[in-house]
Amino acid sequence: MQNLTAGNISFTTFKFIFYTLGEWRPLLFIPHFLMFLLSTVSNSTLIYLIISQKTLHSPMHVLIGLLAVLDLCSPIFIIPNMLLSFLFNWDSISLTGCLIQMFCIHYIGSFQSTILLWMALDRFFAICRPLYYHKYMEVPNFLKFVIAPLIRNLSLDVLIVYLAGRLSFCGTNEIHHCFCEHMALVQLACGDISINNIIGLTAVFLIPTVDFVFVATSYVMIFTSVRKSGKSNLKAINTCVTHIFVIIVSLSCVLIAFLSYRIRNDFSSGSRIFLSTLYILFPSCFNPIIYGVRTKEIREQFLKFMKNINILS
């Protein structure tokens, strides 16, 4: 679609421009579909195991299940659209659809960060305050740690989408991205977007950055407590190492995607899109595998599950 500069025109439909490889585009369908399939199967299996096995109904495993639900949902808002675009060049989206997609992506991403924080708190209470663990993890008490982050996440995500929806888009309707990322849409506006930039940066600081500080503090206190106690709490340390690995992978993907857009002059459009796709797909594919391999209880239940399938077949 051609670019228009008339100030009295505001686009209500947009077109994604990404991976301009001409006739080679359909080949990208295969790796993206396989990763989407891996994400769907692995997260669905993990959710089924946690729901069906009573031995996995502990607070930590429930949190792992919630993370798997988010990892299952996250690609659904992006990847099917991309797959259709690769095969049929279906790459248009309405402004309303774009804003809905933006909200879902941001809210799931912020919720993932918060769940990692809750996991760190669970390990802190289990290792540093074991006598009071069940008291702290009772629903009424745990809600004290849940409500504030959820209100924070919802408020910032709604504000980001609301401010983006108020903009007029009169320059072009071509989004050089594979989904409605906040800055990918906002930079098409023909008015002042300084408030959008400020709110976007504020959200990055108040959600993943603040969560990471609390997570890091929790694990420092955990390892300090284990070292001072002189106990070789290998199970607790192994669980913590698993969580730390997932946190590093998740936050690294978020940071790479964020920086690749902020310093876009040093990144090609294709590279930036690849990094953003990696941010969506990589954690969703490998989080359930990491937990399935490194968490003993989940690994044992998965092996029993596979054994039962083989017996039935």
Side-chain angles (χ1 to χ4, degrees), residues 4 24 103 154 176 178 228 268:
L4 299 174
W24 297 100
F103 174 79
L154 183 62
H176 289 270
C178 54
K228 288 182 177 180
S268 66

Side-chain angles (χ1 to χ4, degrees), residues 54-264:
K54 292 184 178 180
T55 56
L56 299 180
H57 288 179
S58 66
M60 173 51 65
H61 294 120
V62 171
L63 290 174
I64 292 174
L66 286 175
L67 184 63
V69 171
L70 296 178
D71 285 336
L72 177 65
C73 294
S74 180
I76 290 176
F77 294 106
I78 298 172
I79 303 304
N81 226 24
M82 291 182 63
L83 297 179
L84 291 174
S85 177
F86 290 144
L87 294 180
F88 308 111
N89 290 322
W90 293 356
D91 47 16
S92 296
I93 189 170
S94 66
L95 176 59
T96 301
C98 190
L99 294 174
I100 292 174
Q101 186 185 63
M102 183 191 302
F103 174 79
C104 292
I105 293 169
H106 279 268
Y107 191 70
I108 288 175
S110 60
F111 203 176
Q112 286 172 328
S113 173
T114 301
I115 286 181
L116 294 175
L117 171 60
W118 293 345
M119 288 181 175
L121 290 175
D122 176 272
R123 290 300 86 195
F124 172 79
F125 292 138
I127 297 172
C128 300
R129 303 289 188 272
L131 297 178
Y132 301 97
Y133 175 75
H134 293 289
K135 175 185 177 181
Y136 284 124
M137 297 308 293
E138 288 178 352
V139 174
N141 289 329
F142 190 66
L143 283 177
K144 298 176 183 178
F145 304 101
V146 170
I147 293 176
L150 289 182
I151 293 175
R152 174 201 63 180
N153 297 352
L154 183 62
S155 301
L156 287 171
D157 293 335
V158 168
L159 183 59
I160 286 173
V161 175
Y162 170 73
L163 291 175
R166 293 185 60 192
L167 296 173
S168 296
F169 304 95
C170 55
T172 179
N173 67 338
E174 294 181 347
I175 300 176
H176 289 270
H177 216 296
C178 54
F179 60 90
C180 283
E181 190 180 48
H182 177 237
M183 287 306 301
L185 176 66
V186 167
Q187 71 172 5
L188 302 182
C190 50
D192 181 23
I193 61 171
S194 57
I195 185 64
N196 301 84
N197 281 316
I198 292 172
I199 296 299
L201 289 171
T202 301
V204 170
F205 174 76
L206 291 180
I207 300 179
T209 304
V210 169
D211 286 352
F212 176 75
V213 170
F214 281 108
V215 167
T217 302
S218 297
Y219 283 118
V220 168
M221 295 176 69
I222 288 170
F223 287 117
T224 301
S225 176
V226 171
R227 185 178 61 83
K228 288 182 177 180
S229 66
K231 298 178 181 179
S232 57
N233 198 339
L234 294 178
K235 180 181 178 181
I237 295 299
N238 182 64
T239 304
C240 290
V241 169
T242 302
H243 299 159
I244 292 171
F245 185 79
V246 170
I247 290 167
I248 291 174
V249 170
S250 299
L251 291 181
S252 296
C253 290
V254 171
L255 183 62
I256 290 172
F258 177 77
L259 290 179
S260 68
Y261 215 89
R262 292 292 172 177
I263 55 176
R264 56 185 177 272

Side-chain angles (χ1 to χ4, degrees), residues 3-56:
N3 296 347
L4 299 174
T5 57
N8 60 345
I9 295 177
S10 182
F11 291 106
T12 57
T13 59
F14 298 89
K15 181 179 180 180
F16 293 120
I17 305 295
F18 61 99
Y19 294 141
T20 54
L21 300 177
E23 61 183 8
W24 297 100
R25 275 173 60 92
L27 293 179
L28 292 174
F29 174 89
I30 298 173
H32 285 83
F33 174 75
L34 291 177
M35 292 188 71
F36 180 64
L37 184 63
L38 174 62
S39 170
T40 303
V41 172
S42 57
N43 284 291
S44 298
T45 302
L46 182 56
I47 294 167
Y48 171 77
L49 288 174
I50 292 174
I51 292 176
S52 63
Q53 304 300 319
K54 292 184 178 180
T55 56
L56 299 180

